Amino acid sequence: MDSSQLLKGVLDLAVLAVLDERDGYGYDVVRRLREAGLEDVGDASVYGTLRRLFKAGALTSYVVASDEGPHRKYYGLNDTGRDLYARSAKTWTSFAATMASLLEKGHA
């Protein structure tokens, strides 16, 4: 199974989970997702997800000066984002449990 298709379906939730830990700028979010085990996540996909979630009203953003180059745009969850994260996590947990059950039955 192609994991990139699975990743497309859960990227919003993964980004929300990372930002629930702490605010982050684009590449920081990419790095944290990769460190968590999503090695195949693409930079452009994450940046696009951040922009889309921001436009949907789920994220706040602010700019922080950087000593290492241009200013960085940080994103964080707002109340709408926290609610979306909670609902999405509940949906994912239920779906994952259903799939685990189906797979266990398939190997019985």
Side-chain angles (χ1 to χ4, degrees), residues 39-76:
E39 294 91 4
D40 294 335
V41 69
D43 297 14
S45 296
V46 173
Y47 284 99
T49 298
L50 288 167
R51 283 191 300 275
R52 191 171 33 72
L53 289 170
F54 178 75
K55 285 183 180 180
L59 303 178
T60 59
S61 71
Y62 54 94
V63 176
V64 174
S66 171
D67 295 335
E68 302 171 9
H71 298 331
R72 292 183 173 151
K73 185 174 188 177
Y74 277 74
Y75 294 92

Side-chain angles (χ1 to χ4, degrees), residues 12 21 25 30 34 39 44 50 52 54 58 60 84:
D12 284 13
E21 293 175 12
Y25 56 94
V30 171
R34 288 177 180 160
E39 294 91 4
L50 288 167
R52 191 171 33 72
F54 178 75
T60 59
L84 176 60

Side-chain angles (χ1 to χ4, degrees), residues 2-25:
D2 182 10
S3 64
S4 66
Q5 292 300 318
L6 291 172
L7 185 57
K8 285 180 186 178
V10 298
L11 187 55
D12 284 13
L13 177 57
V15 167
L16 291 169
V18 164
L19 293 176
D20 187 54
E21 293 175 12
R22 69 179 183 278
D23 294 358
Y25 56 94

Side-chain angles (χ1 to χ4, degrees), residues 70-91:
H71 298 331
R72 292 183 173 151
K73 185 174 188 177
Y74 277 74
Y75 294 92
L77 297 184
N78 56 24
D79 289 341
T80 300
R82 281 186 282 279
D83 182 57
L84 176 60
Y85 174 53
R87 287 184 286 116
S88 297
K90 184 176 179 180
T91 299

